[in-house]
Every structure is written in C-alpha cells, then in structure tokens.
Amino acid sequence: GAVVSQHPSRVICKSGTSVKIECRSLDFQATTMFWYRQFPKQSLMLMATSNEGSKATYEQGVEKDKFLINHASLTLSTLTVTSAHPEDSSFYICSATGQVGDQPQHFGDGTRLSIL
Amino acid sequence: GQQVMQIPQYQHVQEGEDFTTYCNSSTTLSNIQWYKQRPGGHPVFLIQLVKSGEVKKQKRLTFQFGEAKKNSSLHITATQTTDVGTYFCAGRTTSGTYKYIFGTGTRLKVLA
C-alpha cells in the first residue's frame, strides 16, 4: 500500500518551455503533498507544501510564480515549472501523506528535469 | 532558518562493522522521521520518533531521540551490503506549519 506515482520520470526540453510534473497517490487519499528539489548527492530541499483545495505554502526563496502548484483533488498534485531555464535543471520529487498530522511521507520516484 | 545537520557526511565500513549517523537540529523538534534512499531511488520511510528520549529498534537498526528533542541518532549493528544508501533524518518544526526539514544526509557504503 501507500504508493505514489510521479510522472514524467525524465524531461529534457529547451529553455523557455513550461514543464508540468504530476504526483498521484494511487491507493490512498493524500491530504498533504510536499514538493522537494534534490541536487546531486545532496539533501532534499522542501519547496512547498500543498493541501487539497487550498493554496500551496511556499518556502522562503521559492518563487511561487515560477513553480506553480495545484492540488485539485485528494489524489493529485501538480508542479509546473514555468519558462524553465538551465538553472532549473534538477531532480524534483514529491511526497504524500494520508492524514493530517505526523504521518510517514510516501515518495514518488522523482522527475529529472534537464533544461538545455 | 532552521537547519538540520547530519554527521558524518560519508561513511565507508567493512561488512559486519557497526555504523552510526547523528542528526542535530538548530531548534527543538516536534518529532523526527528517518528515511533511507538507495542510489537512484526515492526516500523510504524507516521510523518516526516522538517522545523525548525515545528509543526504537528495528532488527539491526536502533533509533534514538534526544532528551531535548534537538538531536537523534541511527545505529546499525553488523552492517550488510543491503544497508548501502543515504540515510536522512527529517525533523518536524514545532511551529504551526506542518512540514519536515530534511537533514544533510549520511551516505553509507559497505565493503564486502
């Protein structure tokens, strides 16, 4: 149980393109979803926290107009990197928790984004 | 801002040796979670500690939460090659927001 699916797994695109990443909880309802960015051999940096039906809470330094997050249902959250540039290249990974409160985070497999 | 540091950053051990990673937060935590990330994989939840001074065991893994709820440790007894990966602690803040700050991670390599 507690499977999170993230798509696509890899994206290579030109500078200026907008890229949408989907995060789905397959067998549970995700009250909260988190979006992280991970640089090679480094830790996970929290970008934003998303709750179903409400606006995402962004961490300091993360541009909300650059990284659009939508959590329209209890099983789907999306991250759109708008007008991506080479410095946006990174590994983006989502996680979901099933209930409000102290619950384990279930992670997707991540999306490797490469902007040329 | 809040920081969660882990030491060591890297550890190479011979199979059968013990391993410990330490997690230190700049602020008091509500609770702490531990995750393991295999190379090329995603983090997988190991355990959660909530109470001050709490100790939990999972087979060869022992997790401890400090009395002040600002530090934690993970100890692996008699490492195996399957223990290879990066171990992250993730601390929940005591503020009203529900979020976890991941530690810097400790990458473990086990030599057969």
Side-chain angles (χ1 to χ4, degrees):
Chain A
V3 177
V4 174
S5 174
Q6 186 173 341
H7 291 282
S9 59
R10 185 172 180 91
V11 179
I12 302 173
C13 58
K14 294 181 179 180
S15 185
T17 306
S18 291
V19 178
K20 179 186 279 189
I21 302 169
E22 292 189 349
C23 182
R24 292 180 185 272
S25 57
L26 298 185
D27 52 0
F28 67 101
Q29 292 186 325
T31 309
T32 304
M33 285 186 172
F34 300 94
W35 286 95
Y36 296 89
R37 186 171 178 175
Q38 187 175 32
F39 292 101
K41 298 182 180 180
Q42 293 191 26
S43 185
L44 286 82
M45 183 190 77
L46 180 64
M47 298 175 65
T49 303
S50 149
N51 293 295
E52 185 265 339
S54 61
K55 290 184 179 180
T57 302
Y58 289 81
E59 293 301 301
Q60 192 172 11
V62 178
E63 299 177 58
K64 58 182 66 178
D65 294 332
K66 174 75 172 178
F67 300 98
L68 301 178
I69 291 172
N70 183 279
H71 193 161
S73 76
L74 282 171
T75 59
L76 174 65
S77 177
T78 61
L79 166 67
T80 301
V81 184
T82 61
S83 187
H85 292 285
E87 59 266 27
D88 299 322
S89 298
S90 190
F91 187 66
Y92 294 88
I93 191 165
C94 69
S95 73
T97 60
Q99 301 174 35
V100 176
D102 301 324
Q103 300 294 324
Q105 296 180 54
H106 304 288
F107 283 85
D109 286 333
T111 297
R112 187 159 304 282
L113 177 61
S114 300
I115 309 297
L116 306 177
Chain B
Q2 181 183 12
Q3 290 186 326
V4 180
M5 305 296 292
Q6 281 182 253
I7 55 171
Q9 189 175 4
Y10 303 97
Q11 183 85 60
H12 293 185
V13 298
Q14 286 292 136
E15 188 174 22
E17 291 182 340
D18 293 354
F19 159 76
T20 304
T21 172
Y22 299 92
C23 174
N24 296 288
S25 169
S26 57
T27 58
T28 302
L29 301 171
S30 171
N31 62 57
I32 198 159
Q33 296 176 343
W34 283 91
Y35 292 83
K36 176 184 178 181
Q37 185 176 24
R38 292 181 182 272
H42 61 261
V44 174
F45 174 79
L46 294 176
I47 209 160
Q48 176 171 279
L49 303 170
V50 179
K51 299 177 183 177
S52 169
E54 188 171 15
V55 178
K56 286 188 175 180
K57 291 189 176 184
Q58 284 181 352
K59 297 183 180 178
R60 295 179 295 105
L61 277 61
T62 303
F63 304 83
Q64 187 168 8
F65 201 8
E67 293 290 341
K69 300 184 77 172
K70 293 182 72 174
N71 55 68
S72 181
S73 64
L74 158 59
H75 180 81
I76 302 178
T77 303
T79 55
Q80 300 175 358
T81 54
T82 52
D83 295 326
V84 165
T86 301
Y87 292 85
F88 291 102
C89 61
R92 181 179 173 184
T93 63
T94 54
S95 66
T97 56
Y98 169 45
K99 66 180 183 182
Y100 284 84
I101 304 300
F102 273 74
T104 47
T106 295
R107 191 175 317 153
L108 173 65
K109 284 192 175 180
V110 180
L111 307 174

